[in-house]
Amino acid sequence: MGGLFSGCMEPKTEEQLKSQEIDKKIKSEELTTRATKYLLLLGAGECGKSTVVKQMRVIYSSGFSDQDRREWVKVCRDNALRSMVAIANAMPDLSLAFEDSSLEPKADQLREYLFNFDPSSAEVPAQIVQAVKAMWSDPAVQEAFSRSKEYQLIDSAKYFIEKIEEISKASFLPTDDDIIRARMQTQGIVEVMITVRTKNNHSANFKIIDVGGQRSQRKKWIQAFENVTAVIFVAALSDYDLMLAENETTNRMMESLNLFSSTINMKLFKERNIILFLNKTDLFQKKLETSPLEECFPDYTDGADFDRALEFISQQFRSKNISQTRRVYVHFTCATDTTALKFLIDTVADTIIQMNLNEVGLA
């Protein structure tokens, strides 16, 4: 009898233990994969999608390592230098000239430096830093900046130009805010895994799939559509008076509306609820005072009333939904505001979890 029990209690071999561990790992990965919600982040270029993704990394994931930050140094410097050159290059078309004529050679010096810009340089030369600061203080440059809707300029131009001295130093390491505001065009597909514990005490894994929004990048979208739990479409409210970089005769807001319509009404998404982020509320509110929304939407009649303008644009997007059963969840966002965005993402996560429970009849 003792022999019977001793046979049952024989210890497992090292090979069996390894096999068991591998099986356990595979099963765990399968469960994680099944539990992961796939969120497809779409929108036209410059809408702020990548800013949302970077914020998610800061809030819910490991954030940015020192190595990541070193990679963003060149982007911050490029944003500052390229913005200053963009303003200077636009001035002749705006019938503007430097009030201080000695700035012309400084502008040429800056153009040449940017043309030969070496991202691996430890620092930006002092004469280039001084050229940027002197140009930025010129009244004609300030007027050109105030008319930036008439040419292509990134939203964070002022932020980086005014930090030119700091970001040019060899010791510069970008903060979270610097990285969130830095503009680098998304190429291809970027994926970020996050875990969200929501206000309703739900915990869920989300894979965020960010696809480049420029027209040249949209042909890659179809690669990211499989197994999508929900679509988050991002549109910039402040785009109503801007033109596309790729086609300066096309209004960015009209492009976004058309893209939203063609995307959400695809057969692939007919059963998917859509989450719409109307982004850049801060810039939109400032613009309404000086740039009439009526120029983009002649039917709009409420002037600079911020709340009515928000509701009007929201309705323009909601009207593109031709499905009688599918809902569009609209949220107004400022993607550079970390605290506000965390609250919003928690809310969206709860919404998505509730959608899934409804689909399987557990709600």
Side-chain angles (χ1 to χ4, degrees):
M1 198 167 187
L4 178 63
F5 278 106
S6 64
C8 292
M9 299 294 290
E10 282 182 11
K12 292 179 179 177
T13 65
E14 186 176 342
E15 190 175 325
Q16 287 173 321
L17 289 170
K18 279 185 180 178
S19 177
Q20 189 177 47
E21 190 62 33
I22 291 169
D23 289 342
K24 189 186 295 183
K25 188 176 180 182
I26 290 171
K27 188 172 182 180
S28 174
E29 288 175 354
E30 285 175 350
L31 289 171
T32 301
T33 299
R34 282 203 297 269
T36 298
K37 314 291 187 294
Y38 291 81
L39 303 185
L40 185 58
L41 204 58
L42 300 177
E46 311 297 329
C47 66
K49 290 188 299 91
S50 297
T51 304
V52 172
V53 173
K54 286 184 280 188
Q55 286 277 31
M56 287 179 174
R57 281 189 63 176
V58 170
I59 298 167
Y60 299 108
S61 189
S62 57
F64 300 99
S65 66
D66 283 353
Q67 180 57 40
D68 292 330
R69 295 179 194 280
R70 281 189 283 272
E71 288 297 315
W72 281 97
V73 169
K74 58 190 176 188
V75 180
C76 295
R77 290 173 178 170
D78 179 83
N79 282 187
L81 299 171
R82 200 168 296 280
S83 294
M84 192 71 257
V85 168
I87 296 170
N89 288 347
M91 287 172 65
D93 291 336
L94 302 175
S95 301
L96 294 170
F98 293 113
E99 288 195 13
D100 179 354
S101 58
S102 70
L103 292 176
E104 284 290 356
K106 291 184 185 296
D108 289 337
Q109 182 184 32
L110 179 57
R111 290 186 186 98
E112 184 178 356
Y113 179 77
L114 181 61
F115 182 78
N116 297 300
F117 180 54
D118 180 4
S120 64
S121 298
E123 58 188 6
V124 177
Q127 65 267 30
I128 297 299
V129 174
Q130 291 309 311
V132 171
K133 292 175 70 175
M135 290 166 67
W136 183 242
S137 65
D138 189 88
V141 168
Q142 288 300 312
E143 183 177 346
F145 173 70
S146 73
R147 295 169 60 185
S148 60
K149 72 176 186 178
E150 298 176 49
Y151 56 99
Q152 301 294 328
L153 189 68
I154 61 173
D155 293 332
S156 53
K158 182 177 188 287
Y159 178 87
F160 284 111
I161 289 172
E162 292 185 344
K163 292 190 74 168
I164 186 64
E165 195 157 5
E166 177 189 345
I167 67 180
S168 295
K169 295 176 181 176
S171 59
F172 172 65
L173 201 63
T175 63
D176 286 347
D177 200 34
D178 293 333
I179 294 173
I180 285 163
R181 292 176 182 273
R183 174 70 186 117
M184 181 172 64
Q185 190 179 111
T186 303
Q187 298 289 341
I189 298 172
V190 176
E191 297 183 352
V192 175
M193 280 289 296
I194 64 171
T195 299
V196 180
R197 181 168 290 281
T198 70
K199 57 189 178 183
N200 288 344
N201 207 31
H202 291 129
S203 182
N205 297 320
F206 290 89
K207 178 176 277 191
I208 314 300
I209 306 165
D210 177 20
V211 190
Q214 278 71 23
R215 286 179 170 182
S216 61
Q217 294 292 310
R218 292 177 199 164
K219 59 188 176 183
K220 300 173 184 176
W221 284 14
I222 197 68
Q223 302 170 32
F225 287 170
E226 193 176 359
N227 299 322
V228 168
T229 307
V231 174
I232 298 178
F233 191 96
V234 184
L237 288 159
S238 56
D239 276 358
Y240 70 92
D241 63 351
L242 300 175
M243 299 296 168
L244 285 182
E246 308 99 303
N247 179 353
E248 296 195 353
T249 63
T250 302
N251 178 276
R252 287 192 195 179
M253 180 66 79
M254 294 298 108
E255 173 83 354
S256 192
L257 278 164
N258 291 333
L259 182 60
F260 181 72
S261 177
S262 62
T263 301
I264 70 167
N265 293 313
M266 290 175 64
K267 186 177 180 181
L268 191 65
F269 295 141
K270 67 179 181 178
E271 302 299 329
R272 290 281 177 269
N273 287 310
I274 305 297
I275 298 161
L276 173 64
F277 283 4
L278 291 177
N279 192 30
K280 305 188 182 182
T281 52
D282 54 335
L283 299 178
F284 180 62
Q285 187 167 23
K286 288 177 185 175
K287 274 192 175 185
L288 283 174
E289 300 293 334
T290 56
S291 185
L293 187 58
E294 293 89 335
E295 290 183 8
C296 181
F297 297 103
D299 294 343
Y300 177 74
T301 58
D302 289 307
D305 188 305
F306 179 55
D307 292 331
R308 293 193 178 190
L310 288 178
E311 178 53 34
F312 180 86
I313 293 182
S314 172
Q315 179 55 37
Q316 299 305 302
F317 279 90
R318 291 199 307 269
S319 69
K320 301 298 183 183
N321 177 25
I322 63 175
S323 170
Q324 299 299 312
T325 57
R326 189 257 313 279
R327 183 175 171 186
V328 175
Y329 296 84
V330 182
H331 299 277
F332 301 109
T333 67
C334 174
T336 55
D337 185 335
T338 305
T339 303
L341 194 66
K342 181 185 185 311
F343 179 83
L344 174 59
I345 297 301
D346 285 352
T347 302
V348 168
D350 272 331
T351 300
I352 291 168
I353 291 167
Q354 192 62 42
M355 286 179 195
N356 284 358
L357 292 174
N358 289 339
E359 286 176 6
V360 298
L362 294 177

